[in-house]
Coordinates of all heavy atoms in Angstrom, one line a residue:
G23 N -5.7 6.3 -12.3 CA -4.5 6.0 -12.9 C -3.9 4.6 -12.7 O -3.5 4.0 -13.7
L27 N -2.9 2.0 -15.8 CA -1.5 1.6 -16.0 C -1.4 0.0 -16.0 O -0.8 -0.6 -16.9 CB -0.6 2.1 -15.0 CG -0.4 3.7 -15.0 CD1 0.6 4.1 -13.9 CD2 0.1 4.1 -16.4
A39 N 3.6 -11.0 -26.4 CA 3.9 -12.5 -26.3 C 3.5 -13.2 -27.6 O 3.9 -14.4 -27.7 CB 3.1 -13.0 -25.1
G56 N -3.6 13.9 -16.4 CA -4.3 14.6 -15.3 C -3.9 16.1 -15.2 O -4.4 16.8 -14.3
A77 N 0.7 6.4 -32.8 CA -0.7 6.3 -32.5 C -0.9 6.8 -31.0 O 0.0 7.0 -30.3 CB -1.2 4.9 -32.6
W81 N -7.5 6.5 -21.6 CA -8.7 7.1 -21.0 C -8.3 8.5 -20.5 O -7.3 8.6 -19.8 CB -9.2 6.2 -19.8 CG -10.5 6.6 -19.3 CD1 -11.7 6.0 -19.5 CD2 -10.8 7.7 -18.4 NE1 -12.7 6.7 -18.8 CE2 -12.2 7.7 -18.2 CE3 -10.0 8.7 -17.8 CZ2 -12.8 8.7 -17.3 CZ3 -10.6 9.7 -17.0 CH2 -12.0 9.7 -16.8
I94 N -3.4 17.4 -32.9 CA -2.8 16.3 -33.8 C -3.9 15.6 -34.7 O -3.6 14.6 -35.3 CB -2.2 15.2 -32.9 CG1 -3.3 14.5 -32.0 CG2 -1.1 15.7 -32.1 CD1 -3.0 13.1 -31.5
S109 N -20.2 12.0 -30.2 CA -19.6 11.9 -31.5 C -18.3 12.8 -31.5 O -18.2 13.7 -30.7 CB -20.5 12.3 -32.6 OG -20.8 13.7 -32.5
L127 N -29.4 7.4 -20.7 CA -30.9 7.4 -20.9 C -31.6 6.1 -20.6 O -32.6 6.1 -19.9 CB -31.2 7.8 -22.4 CG -30.7 9.2 -22.8 CD1 -31.2 9.6 -24.1 CD2 -31.1 10.3 -21.7
A129 N -30.5 3.9 -18.5 CA -30.4 3.7 -17.0 C -31.4 4.5 -16.3 O -32.1 4.1 -15.3 CB -29.0 4.2 -16.6
R131 N -34.3 5.4 -17.5 CA -35.6 4.7 -17.8 C -35.8 3.6 -16.8 O -36.9 3.4 -16.3 CB -35.6 4.3 -19.3 CG -36.9 3.8 -19.8 CD -36.8 3.4 -21.2 NE -36.2 4.4 -22.1 CZ -35.1 4.2 -22.8 NH1 -34.5 3.0 -22.8 NH2 -34.6 5.2 -23.5
R141 N -38.0 12.8 -11.8 CA -37.5 14.1 -11.8 C -36.1 14.1 -11.3 O -35.8 13.6 -10.3 CB -38.4 15.1 -10.9 CG -39.8 15.2 -11.5 CD -40.8 15.7 -10.4 NE -40.4 17.0 -9.8 CZ -40.6 18.1 -10.2 NH1 -41.3 18.3 -11.4 NH2 -40.3 19.2 -9.6
Q160 N -31.5 16.8 -20.6 CA -32.5 17.9 -20.6 C -33.6 17.6 -21.6 O -34.8 17.9 -21.4 CB -31.8 19.2 -20.8 CG -32.7 20.4 -20.5 CD -32.7 20.8 -19.1 OE1 -31.7 20.9 -18.4 NE2 -33.9 21.1 -18.5
A162 N -34.4 14.7 -23.0 CA -35.1 13.4 -22.9 C -35.7 13.1 -21.6 O -36.6 12.3 -21.5 CB -34.1 12.2 -23.2
L163 N -35.3 13.8 -20.5 CA -35.7 13.5 -19.2 C -36.3 14.8 -18.5 O -36.2 15.9 -19.1 CB -34.6 13.0 -18.3 CG -33.8 11.8 -18.8 CD1 -32.6 11.5 -18.0 CD2 -34.7 10.5 -18.9
D164 N -36.9 14.6 -17.4 CA -37.5 15.7 -16.6 C -36.4 16.2 -15.7 O -36.2 15.7 -14.6 CB -38.7 15.3 -15.8 CG -39.4 16.4 -15.1 OD1 -38.9 17.6 -15.3 OD2 -40.4 16.2 -14.5
G192 N -34.0 12.1 -7.9 CA -32.6 11.6 -8.0 C -31.7 12.6 -8.6 O -32.1 13.7 -9.1
M195 N -25.2 12.2 -11.6 CA -23.9 12.7 -11.3 C -23.0 12.5 -12.5 O -22.7 11.4 -13.0 CB -23.3 11.8 -10.2 CG -23.9 12.1 -8.8 SD -23.2 10.9 -7.6 CE -21.4 11.3 -7.8
D201 N -13.7 14.2 -7.3 CA -14.8 15.1 -7.1 C -16.1 14.3 -6.7 O -16.8 14.7 -5.8 CB -15.1 15.9 -8.4 CG -14.1 16.9 -8.7 OD1 -12.9 16.8 -8.1 OD2 -14.3 17.8 -9.5
L230 N -16.0 4.0 -5.3 CA -16.7 3.4 -4.1 C -15.7 3.3 -3.0 O -16.0 3.6 -1.8 CB -17.3 2.0 -4.5 CG -18.4 2.0 -5.5 CD1 -18.9 0.6 -5.6 CD2 -19.5 2.9 -5.2
G234 N -16.1 5.3 0.6 CA -16.4 4.4 1.8 C -17.8 3.9 1.8 O -18.7 4.5 1.2
N275 N -11.8 -2.1 -13.2 CA -13.0 -1.3 -13.3 C -13.2 -0.9 -14.8 O -12.4 -1.3 -15.7 CB -12.8 0.0 -12.5 CG -11.6 0.8 -12.8 OD1 -10.9 0.5 -13.8 ND2 -11.3 1.8 -12.0
L291 N -7.3 -3.4 -35.5 CA -7.1 -2.6 -36.6 C -5.9 -3.0 -37.4 O -5.9 -3.1 -38.7 CB -6.9 -1.1 -36.2 CG -6.9 0.0 -37.3 CD1 -8.1 0.0 -38.1 CD2 -6.6 1.3 -36.7
L323 N -17.7 5.0 -34.0 CA -18.3 4.7 -32.7 C -18.4 3.2 -32.5 O -18.3 2.4 -33.4 CB -19.7 5.3 -32.5 CG -19.8 6.8 -32.8 CD1 -21.2 7.3 -32.7 CD2 -18.9 7.6 -31.8
A331 N -25.7 -1.1 -12.5 CA -25.3 -1.8 -11.3 C -25.6 -0.9 -10.1 O -25.6 0.4 -10.2 CB -23.8 -2.1 -11.3
E337 N -18.7 -2.7 -3.4 CA -18.7 -3.4 -4.7 C -20.0 -3.0 -5.5 O -20.9 -2.3 -4.9 CB -18.7 -4.9 -4.5 CG -17.5 -5.4 -3.8 CD -17.5 -6.9 -3.5 OE1 -18.7 -7.5 -3.5 OE2 -16.5 -7.5 -3.2

Side-chain angles (χ1 to χ4, degrees):
L27 295 178
W81 190 103
I94 62 157
S109 65
L127 300 186
R131 191 178 309 122
R141 294 159 59 84
Q160 191 85 43
L163 305 172
D164 186 359
M195 286 178 57
D201 289 19
L230 294 186
N275 58 9
L291 184 64
L323 306 176
E337 299 178 342

